[in-house]
Amino acid sequence: MIAEGGLAALWLAASLSLLQLFLGAAALRPGGEGLLRVVRPLAVAQGVLAAIAFLALIWLFLRTDLSVQLVAANSHSAKPWLYKFAGAWGNHEGSMLLWITVLAVAGGAVALLERRLRQDTLIATLAAQAAIGLGFYAFLLFASNPFTRLSPVPVEGNGLNPLLQDPGLAFHPPTLYFGYVGISVAFSFAVGALITRDVGPAFARAMRPWVLGAWIFLTLGITAGSYWAYYELGWGGWWFWDPVENASLMPWLAATALLHSVTVLATRDGLRAWTVMLAVVAFSMSMIGTFLVRSGILTSVHAFAVDPRRGAFILILLLLYIGGALALFGLRVGTVKEGSRFDFVSREGALVVNNLLLSAILGVVFVGTLYPLAVEAVTGEKLSVGPPYFNAAAGPIALVLVAVMGVGALLRWRSDRLKALAQRLAVPILVTAAALLLVVLLVPGIRILPLLGLVLAAGVGVASLAPLWKRNLRRTPLFIWGMVVAHFGIAVTLAGMASEAAFTKETLVAASPGQIMRVGPFSVRFESVEPVAGPNWTAIEARLTASRGGGRPVALAPQARMFSTPPTPTSEAAIATVWDGQLYVAIGEPDAQGRWQLRLWWKPFVTLIWLGGGLVALGGLLALIGRLRRKSPQPRLQEALA
């Protein structure tokens, strides 16, 4: 009965979504304002019902109820409980149910808590949110039902993809979905404001926490996903420009531009049309990401669906939502007032340049991701667009973007003087010049992009601290601290990327036990090979000992695992983290002479990549808390619950 109860809750939530859409549309007509009292509870009830449906699916996975087709296809009684729990969304249907659940709960939160918007704009926002949800409810109920029963009931399930049997599954997908759904809420705000011609600072202040929250979760999701792929796939890299990786990066780029634009609109009443357009673009990128991952159009360790009929359904939703939003924007953009003006030499001007550069990078990634798919669809020819294209095309733009970000932190709002700006830039420029001299002297022959990355990281790291200069740090608003931490995190990440590209050392050997290898400053002794067994896998484990100089030896144990259900080999890398980098080792197959293939990497300061990503997300969280504190949300919450 749990499956039937979950399905019933899903149908009821879909029905309430349809009713919310119709009542919201009716409320926008003259005399319909009173319907807001009905629309709000509908949105809250819909969120509760969707959450009940998702909790029912989790319970079915925890029980390993093999009478449910989804559980039988993606779980196994011998699977550890964590992967039974997270396995509820480690598949196509479950991931879509998680998506719609977060969407519905977010809509309920907007209905319950939002008090800053005009009533008609809030009604239009909730109606737009219901329209988005309705399409995904239809997709789940008619094309991807997660509660379908299976008869006869199998003796055992097929198990979860071994590449997904990692704690990262419990963290990475939900954070990305929270980010995607936060963007959808921002999109609904933009649609509501366009419908009611209410694009202004109040609308931006209401939308900003959702944009900021979505951006935080996307940052965490991308950072966690990068590290997960880095240690799980055993290939030694932190970003492969996989199309599904790009599918998460594109919404982040658009959300970053939107975040800066909505801040200008909320605080300075500028960039009105630009803010609405970016909300549409950011949501469009999240929809395109959904299509890529769940349409079956891609073959990837990240992709779930392989059914083209589902892809056609999602494509129709994508065309309806994006096409409708663009049509509405085209019809109503003429009614959006210009807003306050500003000089080019100002912080607003720097933010506009930053947004243009972010849009350029987004265009590069978009073309590189979709062009091979378009060519294959038209000609049948398979093309591959990989790191050489993306690094060459997006890398220089990203470096310019970071430089402009550093300068923007030193500019004043509205208008500034070049002479005054030059004085403020003196210290960052001196630091940049010193870093350039130091790198050239210590690392002769370094490639140009890593060189520029290291140099800019130093200068921008100093410039990012500019908002704290001459301030009383105890009285500095929390959102200012958030901006500083986030920008400093970008500099830290850039330093990690440049260091990994410039200084990585790799050794590939066929070794026998007792052999000693060298990689970078490390001497690695191959001790032995032993069979080991886990809860639902067996493995060959290499035992190695690494030492640097006279330091304490470090034990490493990379594995070549074999999962029985489903039968799948995987490579489990061994990673030793030290203060200045990571030693990374993966084991391959034995050769005819009984030697084992070993790949060893020394990656100086690679951990700065993920440390910086964490700082960026932390900065966003501090800014969000600071903004919410400033708006004193407690009275609104008490009013909503009264």
Side-chain angles (χ1 to χ4, degrees):
M1 295 298 293
I2 296 175
E4 287 72 21
L7 184 60
L10 198 58
W11 273 105
L12 285 173
S15 302
L16 292 184
S17 178
L18 181 62
L19 185 60
Q20 180 181 327
L21 175 60
F22 278 121
L23 291 181
L28 292 175
R29 296 180 177 180
E33 294 82 0
L35 288 175
L36 179 62
R37 294 183 178 180
V38 181
V39 174
R40 281 184 189 270
L42 283 176
V44 175
Q46 182 199 151
V48 171
L49 287 167
I52 290 172
F54 185 63
L55 290 174
L57 183 66
I58 291 176
W59 185 246
L60 291 170
F61 268 84
L62 288 174
R63 291 182 57 189
T64 316
D65 188 340
L66 299 177
S67 68
V68 176
Q69 182 176 321
L70 187 64
V71 178
N74 296 278
S75 194
H76 189 280
S77 60
K79 191 169 63 174
W81 76 267
L82 176 62
Y83 306 134
K84 291 181 181 180
F85 172 75
W89 57 79
N91 56 79
H92 174 77
E93 292 85 352
S95 68
M96 293 308 299
L97 181 55
L98 174 60
W99 170 286
I100 193 63
T101 300
V102 179
L103 184 74
V105 171
V110 172
L112 189 63
L113 301 175
E114 184 51 56
R115 293 294 185 274
R116 286 167 289 194
L117 287 177
R118 276 179 7 202
Q119 281 203 358
D120 58 341
T121 304
L122 179 57
I123 290 173
T125 298
L126 293 175
Q129 190 76 355
I132 297 171
L134 193 60
F136 284 101
Y137 282 123
F139 177 72
L140 271 175
L141 292 169
F142 297 116
S144 297
N145 184 358
F147 298 106
T148 301
R149 288 290 189 180
L150 186 62
S151 182
V153 178
V155 176
E156 193 52 88
N158 293 334
L160 180 67
N161 182 346
L163 291 174
L164 298 177
Q165 293 190 36
D166 185 271
L169 180 64
F171 180 79
H172 170 57
T175 52
L176 282 181
Y177 290 178
F178 292 156
Y180 284 159
V181 171
I183 290 175
S184 78
V185 175
F187 169 79
S188 296
F189 273 106
V191 169
L194 279 175
I195 291 173
T196 59
R197 298 177 174 86
D198 187 28
V199 179
F203 141 78
R205 285 191 288 271
M207 184 171 73
R208 179 168 54 186
W210 294 96
V211 178
L212 190 50
W215 183 79
I216 293 168
F217 280 116
L218 282 174
T219 302
L220 286 173
I222 292 171
T223 302
S226 167
Y227 193 67
W228 182 12
Y230 169 76
Y231 71 75
E232 176 65 26
L233 298 181
W235 63 289
W238 58 273
W239 192 264
F240 191 66
W241 293 105
D242 178 282
V244 183
E245 288 178 324
N246 296 346
S248 64
L249 178 63
M250 290 189 290
W252 184 86
L253 291 169
T256 303
L258 174 60
L259 177 60
H260 291 91
S261 184
V262 77
T263 297
V264 173
L265 177 53
T267 58
R268 303 292 168 175
D269 192 18
L271 305 181
R272 292 188 175 193
W274 184 251
T275 299
V276 175
M277 183 190 71
L278 284 174
V280 174
V281 170
F283 178 69
S284 301
M285 292 302 104
S286 70
M287 284 294 298
I288 289 171
T290 303
F291 172 69
L292 289 175
V293 177
R294 291 164 184 83
S295 65
I297 198 171
L298 293 176
T299 301
S300 166
V301 296
H302 306 82
F304 290 135
V306 293
D307 185 353
R309 290 176 298 176
R310 293 172 174 176
F313 202 125
I314 295 177
L315 182 60
I316 292 171
L317 290 180
L318 186 150
L319 294 175
L320 283 174
Y321 292 145
I322 297 178
L326 290 176
L328 178 64
F329 180 77
L331 289 172
R332 290 296 176 89
V333 68
T335 67
V336 178
K337 296 180 181 179
E338 181 181 5
S340 301
R341 296 191 175 190
F342 50 84
D343 291 345
F344 179 74
V345 182
S346 63
R347 185 170 294 187
E348 293 95 330
L351 290 174
V352 169
V353 175
N354 263 6
N355 282 357
L356 291 173
L357 292 170
L358 283 165
S359 300
I361 297 173
L362 174 59
V364 168
V365 178
F366 181 84
V367 170
T369 302
L370 296 185
Y371 176 72
L373 303 178
V375 170
E376 183 177 354
V378 174
T379 67
E381 181 184 359
K382 289 186 177 291
L383 294 180
S384 177
V385 175
Y389 160 78
F390 290 106
N391 292 337
I397 303 174
L399 291 175
V400 175
L401 171 67
V402 172
V404 174
M405 182 194 78
V407 174
L410 297 165
L411 284 165
R412 301 190 186 281
W413 293 103
R414 300 288 188 197
S415 180
D416 207 343
R417 294 180 296 112
L418 287 175
K419 184 178 180 181
L421 174 62
Q423 292 175 347
R424 292 183 223 119
L425 281 172
V427 173
I429 288 175
L430 285 174
V431 171
T432 302
L436 175 62
L437 180 62
L438 191 63
V439 173
V440 170
L441 289 176
L442 295 180
V443 195
I446 186 174
R447 288 175 293 140
I448 184 64
L449 283 181
L451 169 64
L452 293 176
L454 289 169
V455 168
L456 274 177
V460 171
V462 173
S464 65
L465 303 176
L468 300 179
W469 296 352
K470 300 180 181 179
R471 277 183 178 268
N472 184 332
L473 298 184
R474 292 184 178 180
R475 296 185 178 181
T476 300
L478 197 58
F479 64 86
I480 296 293
W481 278 105
M483 178 183 68
V484 169
V485 172
H487 286 179
F488 187 75
I490 293 291
V492 171
T493 292
L494 179 60
M497 293 175 180
S499 296
E500 195 271 346
F503 308 131
T504 292
K505 303 295 181 183
E506 180 181 0
T507 299
L508 174 61
V509 296
S512 301
Q515 186 171 336
I516 296 177
M517 302 146 286
R518 294 201 62 85
V519 57
F522 283 88
S523 175
V524 182
R525 179 181 172 83
F526 187 4
E527 303 288 354
S528 64
V529 176
E530 304 289 342
V532 294
N536 60 337
W537 50 265
T538 58
I540 294 297
E541 182 178 273
R543 309 283 174 85
L544 304 102
T545 304
S547 58
R548 177 166 60 172
R552 184 177 179 182
V554 177
L556 294 161
Q559 296 177 347
R561 288 184 183 177
M562 172 58 74
F563 287 79
S564 56
T565 308
T568 309
T570 66
S571 176
E572 301 294 323
I575 302 174
T577 302
V578 292
W579 71 271
D580 58 342
Q582 287 186 330
L583 179 61
Y584 186 113
V585 183
I587 183 174
E589 297 292 328
D591 62 14
Q593 288 75 39
R595 298 175 303 176
W596 293 86
Q597 299 291 329
L598 290 173
R599 296 188 72 179
L600 305 94
W601 289 269
W602 165 238
K603 295 176 171 291
F605 301 106
V606 67
T607 50
L608 294 181
I609 296 173
W610 304 292
L611 173 61
L615 287 174
V616 172
L618 175 61
L621 179 62
L622 293 175
L624 179 61
I625 294 172
R627 293 291 183 187
L628 292 177
R629 258 194 204 170
R630 211 176 186 195
K631 298 302 176 185
S632 302
Q634 291 85 358
R636 287 196 300 276
L637 179 59
Q638 293 168 2
E639 176 188 348
L641 296 175

